[in-house]
Amino acid sequence: MADHGGEACKQVDSGMTRVFGLLGKRWTGLIVATLMAGPVHFADLRRAIPGISERMLSDRLGELGSAGLVVREVDAGPPLRVAYRLSRAGLALEPALKELARWAETYLADGGQCPERFRD
């Protein structure tokens, strides 16, 4: 077994820990990506993300709201409707999400697996 010394065991950056603590949760990235186009009503947001339950969507939107990334807007109607949009901080994620999408097209194109030519 190789000895890599103390340098190989540095702790992960605290900023990365905070980012993945929030955005690394299941569904959160998809919610943010869906809201990039603009405000979306709750029911439309749920339809846009297949497989997410109403409760999970509500929980994730609450977390994103508490973090300051999503703003909840109530349209008194009638009928009463609730829409969600990204805050300025949420919109600032767009370049990072676009880069991740480009990365996925290159490195996860084979059914979610990295193609052999990129493994070494």
Side-chain angles (χ1 to χ4, degrees):
M1 190 178 286
D3 178 17
H4 298 288
E7 290 298 311
C9 294
K10 287 184 180 178
Q11 281 194 325
V12 126
D13 176 81
S14 65
M16 292 300 272
T17 300
R18 289 191 310 272
V19 165
F20 282 101
L22 178 64
L23 297 180
K25 291 182 179 178
R26 186 170 186 196
W27 307 112
T28 303
L30 296 175
I31 293 168
V32 172
T34 302
L35 293 174
M36 278 295 163
V40 180
H41 290 104
F42 185 90
D44 296 329
L45 189 54
R46 183 163 179 258
R47 278 192 292 277
I49 304 171
I52 193 168
S53 69
E54 283 187 23
R55 179 178 171 105
M56 183 58 67
L57 178 56
S58 181
D59 288 350
R60 291 296 184 256
L61 286 168
E63 291 171 359
L64 289 165
S66 294
L69 300 180
V70 168
V71 177
R72 182 179 187 265
E73 297 175 330
V74 178
D75 178 7
L80 178 83
R81 291 186 63 169
V82 177
Y84 296 86
R85 67 172 174 81
L86 293 175
S87 67
R88 188 173 14 176
L91 288 169
L93 288 166
E94 187 173 23
L97 290 179
K98 283 185 174 182
E99 190 59 34
L100 284 171
R102 278 192 290 275
W103 177 85
E105 283 299 312
T106 301
Y107 296 105
L108 294 180
D110 292 349
Q113 297 294 315
C114 183
E116 282 294 325
R117 70 182 182 275
F118 296 118
R119 298 179 191 193
D120 48 1

